[in-house]
């Protein structure tokens, strides 16, 4: 079991790395429509909304990123 857990942890770290694209907030494909849907989901999530309103930096970063993607045409 321990050996399998070790290999599972190694495998999780072997994913592809992201890169900074040409100013695109998410160069790997979140569409503007998907971003708008996610924004609506976050607005309905009371726990997330409370974090955002309390000034949580991670929540604000996600909000800003989704709006950059969602406003693309």
């Amino acid at each position: 079991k321990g050996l399998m857990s070790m290999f599972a942890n190694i495998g999780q770290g072997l994913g592809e790395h992201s890169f900074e694209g040409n100013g695109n907030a998410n160069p790997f494909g979140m569409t503007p429509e998907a971003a708008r849907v996610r924004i609506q989901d976050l607005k309905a999530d009371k726990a997330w909304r409370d974090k955002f309103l309390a000034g949580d930096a991670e929540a604000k970063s996600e909000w800003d990123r989704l709006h950059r993607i969602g406003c693309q045409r």
Side-chain angles (χ1 to χ4, degrees):
K1 179 180 177 184
L3 184 62
M4 293 305 289
S5 293
M6 180 186 75
F7 283 130
N9 287 335
I10 291 170
Q12 287 177 339
L14 295 177
E16 291 185 20
H17 295 283
S18 61
F19 69 93
E20 290 296 321
N22 55 3
N24 189 350
N26 186 350
F28 290 113
M30 178 176 270
T31 65
E33 180 59 31
R36 288 188 289 271
V37 168
R38 177 71 178 143
I39 289 167
Q40 293 305 314
D41 291 345
L42 291 176
K43 286 180 179 179
D45 182 341
K46 183 181 179 345
W48 185 92
R49 192 174 61 238
D50 289 345
K51 282 183 5 179
F52 178 78
L53 293 174
D56 182 82
E58 187 176 315
K60 182 176 181 346
S61 176
E62 180 178 16
W63 182 258
D64 292 344
R65 180 182 61 84
L66 290 169
H67 275 83
R68 281 193 306 271
I69 296 168
C71 291
Q72 294 177 2
R73 299 273 179 221

